[in-house]
Amino acid sequence: MRRRLTTLVLATLALGVIAWLAGPLAGSGGSCLVPAASAAGRAGCCHYNRGVCGCQNGRARCCDGKVSASCRCNAGLTTRQIGINTEPLVSLADVAFARQDMPEPPSPRLTLFRLGADPLRFWFKLDCGPECWNQLAVDNVLPLEVRWLFDPGSGPVVDGDPQRVTLLRDRPTVFVARPPSQLRQGRWETEVRFETERLCTRGDEKCWFQIEVQR
């Protein structure tokens, strides 16, 4: 009898430690359903809002309480789940770095950029179907922004103000130029955002795009 009680106590303590390490699970009060490590993730949905912690009216509910502007989810969520399947309405179909703003898609595609008189151009193509345009666009225009990040060696940080771009329904591609006066040697990354969410490529889920700048 004493051995059974000891085993039960040890099992309860172990479960408590696991739950503490994983973070809170969702209840009806709106707390996070998914363990904190899983919620943070690297995906685009709610990335800057502490990850996805639930589903509300068919949209992902972020862990800071914000409802995602562009990510759908399964409303039939149960408290037994430790993950939430999300599907962004808008994503990136293709990305590339280039020296010139022609052709589309760019050729050649750069992984190394030599500083000179020409700006560095970041090109992307939007993946936005009829549902995306109907729900997210305003007057058939989708407002986005491109952020440039520089890595000084301790990790990438935003460098300068975001570059705002607008895409038309019949023109889902754009070149965004960064002048040489705003570049320096080292590793740069770009990121495309809609509201507070970053856009990733479908399939491989890449959300940051790297280029090496040298003299």
Side-chain angles (χ1 to χ4, degrees), residues 195-209:
E195 292 197 4
T196 61
E197 296 172 329
R198 61 182 182 171
L199 305 188
C200 306
T201 54
R202 290 192 183 273
D204 55 9
E205 289 294 320
K206 289 184 178 179
C207 310
W208 285 299
F209 312 99

Side-chain angles (χ1 to χ4, degrees), residues 16 22 25 34 37 43 47 55 76 111 123-124 131 140 143 167-168 188 214:
L25 296 178
V34 184
H47 178 78
C55 191
T111 56
W123 173 88
F124 66 89
E131 185 181 2
N140 279 330
L167 293 187
L168 302 175
W188 288 82
Q214 295 182 6

Side-chain angles (χ1 to χ4, degrees), residues 37-49:
S38 301
R42 291 180 57 85
C45 297
C46 293
H47 178 78
Y48 289 104
N49 302 97

